[in-house]
Amino acid sequence: DRFPAASIHGIDASAESIKAAESMGLQGVTFHFSESARLPFADGAFDLVYSNGTFHHIDHGKHAAVFAELRRVLAPGGHLFVFENNPLNPLMVRGMRQNPFDAGTKMLFPWYLRRVVRGARFTARAPKYYVFFPKQLKGLRWSERYLRSVPVGAQYYVWGTREA
Protein backbone atom coordinates (compact mmCIF):
# COMPACT_ATOMS: atom_id res chain seq x y z
CA ASP A 1 0.00 0.00 0.00
CA ARG A 2 2.85 2.40 0.81
CA PHE A 3 4.78 1.68 -2.41
CA PRO A 4 2.14 1.12 -5.10
CA ALA A 5 4.66 1.22 -7.97
CA ALA A 6 7.01 -1.30 -6.32
CA SER A 7 7.90 -4.55 -8.02
CA ILE A 8 8.06 -7.20 -5.29
CA HIS A 9 9.73 -10.57 -5.69
CA GLY A 10 9.78 -13.38 -3.15
CA ILE A 11 12.13 -16.33 -3.41
CA ASP A 12 12.31 -19.59 -1.49
CA ALA A 13 13.89 -23.02 -1.78
CA SER A 14 10.61 -24.60 -0.65
CA ALA A 15 8.19 -25.30 -3.49
CA GLU A 16 5.46 -25.81 -0.88
CA SER A 17 6.09 -22.34 0.57
CA ILE A 18 6.00 -20.77 -2.88
CA LYS A 19 2.70 -22.51 -3.64
CA ALA A 20 1.22 -21.25 -0.35
CA ALA A 21 2.44 -17.70 -1.06
CA GLU A 22 1.00 -17.74 -4.58
CA SER A 23 -2.37 -18.89 -3.22
CA MET A 24 -2.64 -15.62 -1.28
CA GLY A 25 -3.35 -13.75 -4.54
CA LEU A 26 -1.14 -10.77 -3.76
CA GLN A 27 -1.16 -8.11 -6.46
CA GLY A 28 2.18 -6.99 -7.89
CA VAL A 29 4.13 -9.79 -6.23
CA THR A 30 6.00 -12.52 -8.11
CA PHE A 31 7.25 -15.61 -6.32
CA HIS A 32 10.24 -17.65 -7.45
CA PHE A 33 11.28 -21.15 -6.48
CA SER A 34 15.04 -21.64 -6.49
CA GLU A 35 17.45 -23.99 -4.79
CA SER A 36 20.39 -22.43 -6.60
CA ALA A 37 23.11 -20.47 -4.84
CA ARG A 38 22.81 -17.91 -7.65
CA LEU A 39 19.68 -15.79 -7.57
CA PRO A 40 17.72 -15.53 -10.85
CA PHE A 41 18.00 -11.72 -10.99
CA ALA A 42 20.22 -9.23 -12.78
CA ASP A 43 23.03 -7.37 -11.02
CA GLY A 44 21.67 -4.38 -9.12
CA ALA A 45 18.05 -5.40 -9.74
CA PHE A 46 16.72 -4.34 -6.31
CA ASP A 47 16.71 -1.25 -4.13
CA LEU A 48 15.79 -3.27 -1.04
CA VAL A 49 16.42 -6.83 0.07
CA TYR A 50 14.49 -8.11 3.09
CA SER A 51 14.94 -11.42 4.89
CA ASN A 52 13.07 -12.54 7.97
CA GLY A 53 13.95 -15.71 9.87
CA THR A 54 15.83 -17.27 6.99
CA PHE A 55 19.49 -17.43 7.86
CA HIS A 56 19.24 -19.78 10.82
CA HIS A 57 17.93 -22.33 8.28
CA ILE A 58 21.00 -21.90 6.04
CA ASP A 59 24.25 -23.70 6.83
CA HIS A 60 26.54 -21.13 8.44
CA GLY A 61 29.35 -22.13 6.10
CA LYS A 62 27.25 -20.78 3.21
CA HIS A 63 26.38 -17.42 4.75
CA ALA A 64 29.27 -15.48 3.21
CA ALA A 65 28.38 -16.68 -0.30
CA VAL A 66 24.67 -15.94 0.21
CA PHE A 67 25.39 -12.39 1.39
CA ALA A 68 27.76 -11.85 -1.53
CA GLU A 69 24.93 -12.89 -3.84
CA LEU A 70 22.50 -10.54 -2.09
CA ARG A 71 25.02 -7.75 -2.58
CA ARG A 72 25.22 -8.59 -6.29
CA VAL A 73 21.46 -8.19 -6.82
CA LEU A 74 21.22 -5.06 -4.68
CA ALA A 75 21.64 -1.72 -6.44
CA PRO A 76 24.39 0.66 -5.28
CA GLY A 77 22.92 2.68 -2.42
CA GLY A 78 20.37 -0.07 -1.77
CA HIS A 79 19.49 -1.45 1.64
CA LEU A 80 19.53 -4.93 3.14
CA PHE A 81 17.43 -5.78 6.20
CA VAL A 82 17.95 -9.15 7.88
CA PHE A 83 15.69 -10.08 10.78
CA GLU A 84 16.44 -13.05 13.02
CA ASN A 85 15.34 -14.57 16.32
CA ASN A 86 17.53 -13.48 19.22
CA PRO A 87 19.58 -16.24 20.90
CA LEU A 88 20.12 -13.86 23.85
CA ASN A 89 16.42 -14.11 24.73
CA PRO A 90 15.75 -17.34 26.70
CA LEU A 91 12.05 -17.42 25.78
CA MET A 92 12.90 -17.23 22.07
CA VAL A 93 15.49 -19.99 22.45
CA ARG A 94 12.90 -22.15 24.20
CA GLY A 95 10.30 -21.39 21.53
CA MET A 96 12.64 -22.37 18.72
CA ARG A 97 13.61 -25.61 20.48
CA GLN A 98 9.93 -26.53 20.69
CA ASN A 99 9.15 -25.62 17.09
CA PRO A 100 9.54 -28.63 14.74
CA PHE A 101 10.14 -26.26 11.81
CA ASP A 102 13.32 -25.05 13.51
CA ALA A 103 14.67 -28.52 14.34
CA GLY A 104 18.36 -28.76 13.46
CA THR A 105 18.81 -25.02 12.96
CA LYS A 106 21.48 -22.90 14.60
CA MET A 107 20.58 -19.42 15.84
CA LEU A 108 22.71 -16.45 14.78
CA PHE A 109 24.15 -14.16 17.39
CA PRO A 110 23.67 -10.49 16.45
CA TRP A 111 27.39 -9.73 16.35
CA TYR A 112 27.95 -12.73 14.06
CA LEU A 113 25.28 -11.54 11.62
CA ARG A 114 26.68 -8.01 11.58
CA ARG A 115 30.20 -9.36 10.94
CA VAL A 116 29.00 -11.52 8.01
CA VAL A 117 27.08 -8.60 6.51
CA ARG A 118 30.18 -6.41 6.79
CA GLY A 119 32.30 -9.20 5.32
CA ALA A 120 30.10 -9.05 2.20
CA ARG A 121 31.13 -5.38 1.84
CA PHE A 122 27.98 -3.77 3.21
CA THR A 123 28.01 -0.90 5.65
CA ALA A 124 26.28 -2.58 8.60
CA ARG A 125 24.66 -0.76 11.46
CA ALA A 126 24.55 -2.15 14.99
CA PRO A 127 21.77 -4.67 15.58
CA LYS A 128 18.43 -3.31 16.80
CA TYR A 129 16.20 -5.37 19.07
CA TYR A 130 12.41 -5.55 19.33
CA VAL A 131 9.50 -7.60 20.71
CA PHE A 132 10.34 -7.12 24.36
CA PHE A 133 6.80 -7.64 25.61
CA PRO A 134 4.60 -10.67 24.84
CA LYS A 135 1.01 -10.14 23.70
CA GLN A 136 -0.18 -10.36 27.32
CA LEU A 137 1.79 -7.14 27.96
CA LYS A 138 1.12 -5.50 24.60
CA GLY A 139 0.08 -2.31 26.40
CA LEU A 140 3.79 -1.76 27.08
CA ARG A 141 4.91 -2.13 23.47
CA TRP A 142 4.80 1.66 22.98
CA SER A 143 8.03 1.76 25.00
CA GLU A 144 9.93 -0.69 22.78
CA ARG A 145 11.31 2.05 20.53
CA TYR A 146 13.34 3.24 23.53
CA LEU A 147 14.77 -0.24 24.12
CA ARG A 148 16.12 -0.97 20.60
CA SER A 149 19.73 -1.12 21.84
CA VAL A 150 18.99 -3.51 24.72
CA PRO A 151 19.98 -7.00 23.49
CA VAL A 152 17.14 -9.00 25.03
CA GLY A 153 14.27 -8.44 22.61
CA ALA A 154 12.90 -11.65 21.11
CA GLN A 155 14.04 -10.58 17.66
CA TYR A 156 16.61 -8.29 16.11
CA TYR A 157 17.64 -6.95 12.75
CA VAL A 158 20.84 -5.88 11.04
CA TRP A 159 20.60 -3.12 8.45
CA GLY A 160 23.23 -3.09 5.74
CA THR A 161 23.74 -0.65 2.89
CA ARG A 162 25.57 -1.25 -0.37
CA GLU A 163 27.64 1.85 -0.89
CA ALA A 164 26.94 3.85 -4.05
Side-chain angles (χ1 to χ4, degrees), residues 17-99:
S17 294
I18 293 296
K19 186 175 180 179
E22 288 174 335
S23 74
M24 295 173 70
L26 299 172
Q27 298 298 312
V29 181
T30 305
F31 294 100
H32 307 268
F33 167 75
S34 178
E35 292 177 311
S36 171
R38 182 150 173 97
L39 296 172
F41 307 111
D43 294 359
F46 299 101
D47 297 314
L48 173 72
V49 171
Y50 166 84
S51 172
N52 192 332
T54 304
F55 280 87
H56 64 270
H57 291 278
I58 299 171
D59 180 274
H60 287 215
K62 296 180 181 178
H63 286 168
V66 172
F67 279 107
E69 183 63 2
L70 293 176
R71 186 178 189 287
R72 181 188 68 77
V73 300
L74 192 62
H79 299 281
L80 167 75
F81 288 90
V82 181
F83 290 73
E84 278 292 334
N85 296 326
N86 187 1
L88 301 173
N89 180 299
L91 293 176
M92 179 53 68
V93 172
R94 181 176 177 258
M96 284 186 66
R97 285 186 182 148
Q98 294 177 342
N99 184 348

Side-chain angles (χ1 to χ4, degrees), residues 125-144:
R125 290 156 188 81
K128 297 293 182 188
Y129 303 86
Y130 64 104
V131 189
F132 291 86
F133 301 105
K135 64 181 172 183
Q136 297 89 335
L137 299 172
K138 67 181 177 183
L140 297 173
R141 287 192 175 163
W142 64 269
S143 66
E144 288 191 0

